[in-house]
């Protein structure tokens, strides 16, 4: 099995059995995002306690890349700090620009091949950009 076949399996696994799917009734911050180029839609609910993402759930409709990426993103940042989440977002975007694998991204490393398909990059980054916006909203709320 080649590395790209293995990565394909990881992506399909997250698409077929998404992690952290659902809604949080008492979310600290919620965010809707869409990628009109493909028709992907995503909602993120975060429960933030102090500087930690205690829980994060998503719901969405769209292509396998966008949904698998959301599943991978939630798995990576759940339970971690807000600054770790920001670092993960930066690393993920850097990986899609450079096309170089980043093992620190866990299963999301499997999306490295998307860098070769510019039209799919927006699918892959949708969940990460949504998380970034959610974190920005949270810090704006806290500054008030
Ligand atoms: Zn898509």
């Amino acid at each position: 099995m080649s590395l790209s076949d293995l990565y394909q399996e990881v992506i399909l696994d997250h698409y077929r059995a998404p992690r952290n799917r659902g809604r949080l009734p008492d979310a600290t911050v919620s965010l809707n995002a869409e990628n009109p180029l493909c028709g992907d839609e995503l909602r993120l609910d975060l429960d933030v306690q102090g500087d930690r993402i205690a829980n994060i759930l998503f719901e969405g409709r769209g292509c396998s890349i966008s949904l698998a990426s959301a599943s991978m993103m939630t798995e990576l940042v759940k339970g971690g700090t807000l600054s770790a989440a920001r670092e993960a977002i930066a690393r993920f975007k850097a990986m899609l620009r450079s096309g170089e694998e980043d093992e620190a991204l866990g299963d999301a490393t499997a999306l490295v091949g998307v860098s070769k398909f510019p039209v799919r990059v927006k699918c892959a980054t949708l969940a990460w950009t949504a998380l970034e916006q959610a974190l920005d909203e949270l810090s704006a709320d806290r500054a008030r």
Side-chain angles (χ1 to χ4, degrees), residues 5 13 23 27 32 40 45 47 70 73 76 104-105 123-124 132 134:
D5 288 343
D13 180 56
R23 298 278 286 268
N32 291 296
D40 306 316
D45 286 346
D47 174 15
M73 181 277 287
L76 187 66
L105 291 169
C123 302
E132 192 169 33

Side-chain angles (χ1 to χ4, degrees), residues 7 10-11 13-14 19 72 75-76 105-111:
Y7 282 167
V10 174
I11 294 166
D13 180 56
H14 275 271
R19 281 50 146 189
M72 292 162 170
E75 194 173 58
L76 187 66
L105 291 169
D107 282 0
T109 312
L111 288 167

Side-chain angles (χ1 to χ4, degrees), residues 34-107:
E34 58 181 332
N35 168 24
L37 290 177
C38 179
D40 306 316
E41 293 175 18
L42 196 71
R43 179 194 167 89
L44 281 184
D45 286 346
L46 278 76
D47 174 15
V48 178
Q49 307 283 338
D51 71 339
R52 258 173 211 284
I53 300 174
N55 202 359
I56 176 168
L57 297 182
F58 81 97
E59 273 191 341
R61 285 191 310 184
C63 67
S64 56
I65 298 284
S66 71
L67 295 174
S69 184
S71 171
M72 292 162 170
M73 181 277 287
T74 58
E75 194 173 58
L76 187 66
V77 304
K78 185 174 172 176
T81 62
L82 300 177
S83 58
R86 292 228 184 241
E87 190 191 330
I89 294 162
R91 292 187 84 115
F92 185 77
K93 289 182 175 176
M95 180 181 80
L96 289 190
R97 275 195 303 269
S98 69
E100 286 171 30
E101 290 156 34
D102 185 346
E103 297 297 335
L105 291 169
D107 282 0

